[in-house]
Amino acid sequence: MPFVRVSYCEEKYTKKDLPLISENILNSLIEEFNVPPKDYFQVFASHKKEEIFYDNNYLINKTRTDGVLYIQITCGSGRTMEQKKALYMNIADKLFINCKVPKENVFIMLIETELEDWSFGEGIAQMIK
């Protein structure tokens, strides 16, 4: 049940790039978190260059550029640390190989929630039995 938000600099990615980035994030979630393929909810938001702030080198050995992708994944809790680390690497690898996004520009934040924190429509908490 992940919900993915991706923020990016409007000058760095085109409307042609976004579906491929989206597909690669979804495929990583399917592979590492066993997410069903139809559990596909993502929002992309572009920002002007002067609206995105970051340190070029914080906690990495290379330099981030204005091509940074902020990927926020909200999902149910319960994955192991190994699964989370595998997801981060899988996303970075796929975006680099398939979308030419340098790995240093892939910033991922995982936010965990409980089943009762979700409604997929109709005012119903579908995940609660």
Side-chain angles (χ1 to χ4, degrees):
M1 67 186 135
F3 178 73
V4 179
R5 292 179 181 266
V6 180
S7 297
Y8 64 96
C9 182
E10 67 186 357
E11 300 168 4
K12 297 300 175 180
Y13 298 98
T14 67
K15 290 182 182 184
K16 182 181 171 189
D17 297 324
L18 301 183
L20 187 57
I21 292 169
S22 173
E23 179 183 316
N24 280 276
I25 294 170
L26 175 63
N27 288 337
S28 294
L29 285 163
I30 291 168
E31 291 170 19
E32 302 301 340
F33 277 16
N34 299 311
V35 170
K38 289 189 174 190
D39 194 350
Y40 186 36
F41 301 94
Q42 298 184 4
V43 175
F44 282 70
S46 64
H47 300 272
K48 293 180 169 88
K49 183 177 178 178
E50 61 270 13
E51 295 175 337
I52 294 184
F53 303 91
Y54 57 90
D55 182 278
N56 290 357
N57 306 103
Y58 186 68
L59 296 178
I60 62 173
N61 296 319
K62 295 187 178 180
T63 301
R64 288 181 189 89
T65 70
D66 290 339
V68 66
L69 291 174
Y70 289 116
I71 303 169
Q72 181 180 30
I73 302 169
T74 303
C75 65
S77 62
R79 271 68 177 215
T80 66
M81 186 183 315
E82 290 76 21
Q83 286 176 297
K84 293 173 187 180
K85 290 167 68 175
L87 176 69
Y88 304 151
M89 187 57 71
N90 193 317
I91 291 173
D93 286 344
K94 283 187 184 331
L95 293 180
F96 178 70
I97 293 166
N98 302 321
C99 306
K100 308 302 182 235
V101 176
K103 291 182 182 184
E104 57 271 19
N105 283 346
V106 179
F107 184 104
I108 302 169
M109 179 179 18
L110 190 64
I111 300 168
E112 295 181 310
T113 62
E114 300 305 320
L115 296 177
E116 64 267 19
D117 297 324
W118 295 82
S119 172
F120 290 85
E122 301 178 329
I124 300 169
Q126 290 88 345
M127 302 301 290
I128 300 173
K129 304 289 181 200

